Amino acid sequence: MRGLGELEAAVMDVLWRTSEPLKVREVMDRLDTGKQLAYTTVMTVLDNLHRKGWAVRELDGKAYRYEPAMSRAEAASAALREVLDSSGDPEAVLLHFARSASDRETELLRKALPRKRRK
């Protein structure tokens, strides 16, 4: 995920895969990084994600519960927007993407774009 470190992306994946806000321990229990992580490490990552606007949190007793600030699709769309805005040539980027799109992706794009009348 653009703009996120490896551990941040893994934590966001945990948040996106669940339907309810999670405490730090619950995120730790669901993380599959292949490494044993300290509670304070996961807590710091969640705090950073909150500070960066990727996660929202609510106090539940003495601990916070975290959930994504946006859906995975919204985050991917924002990343694509950032790429287009910073490319210097968004038209070229979009044309390259369109040429590489699968049949299914092409169909979805056609459905999403409004029909324009030809003159």
Side-chain angles (χ1 to χ4, degrees):
M1 174 89 21
R2 187 172 172 89
L4 295 178
E6 188 177 330
L7 186 52
E8 289 175 325
V11 168
M12 284 305 302
D13 187 57
V14 168
L15 295 178
W16 279 321
R17 284 185 287 135
T18 192
S19 59
E20 71 274 353
L22 299 174
K23 291 183 178 181
V24 174
R25 178 67 58 194
E26 295 167 323
V27 172
M28 276 186 68
D29 292 344
R30 297 173 190 206
L31 266 175
D32 184 21
T33 62
K35 304 173 193 171
Q36 190 171 11
L37 299 169
Y39 178 92
T40 54
T41 300
V42 177
M43 183 175 66
T44 299
V45 169
L46 283 162
D47 187 58
N48 289 342
L49 289 168
H50 174 258
R51 187 176 37 78
K52 291 178 177 183
W54 285 87
V56 293
R57 67 185 181 191
E58 187 175 322
L59 200 56
D60 181 9
K62 293 182 179 183
Y64 284 109
R65 288 193 173 273
Y66 292 86
E67 61 185 329
M70 64 195 92
S71 71
R72 190 186 300 263
E74 289 169 326
S77 177
L80 178 56
R81 170 56 44 210
E82 187 178 329
V83 167
L84 290 173
D85 290 346
S86 66
S87 71
D89 191 354
E91 182 179 343
V93 173
L94 286 170
L95 289 173
H96 282 287
F97 175 77
R99 288 185 196 109
S100 71
S102 69
D103 290 343
R104 175 73 178 132
E105 291 164 342
T106 300
E107 179 185 333
L108 291 169
L109 285 170
R110 283 191 176 136
K111 286 181 180 179
L113 295 172
R115 300 236 181 225
K116 294 185 179 182
R117 291 184 189 196
R118 293 187 175 166
K119 294 181 181 183

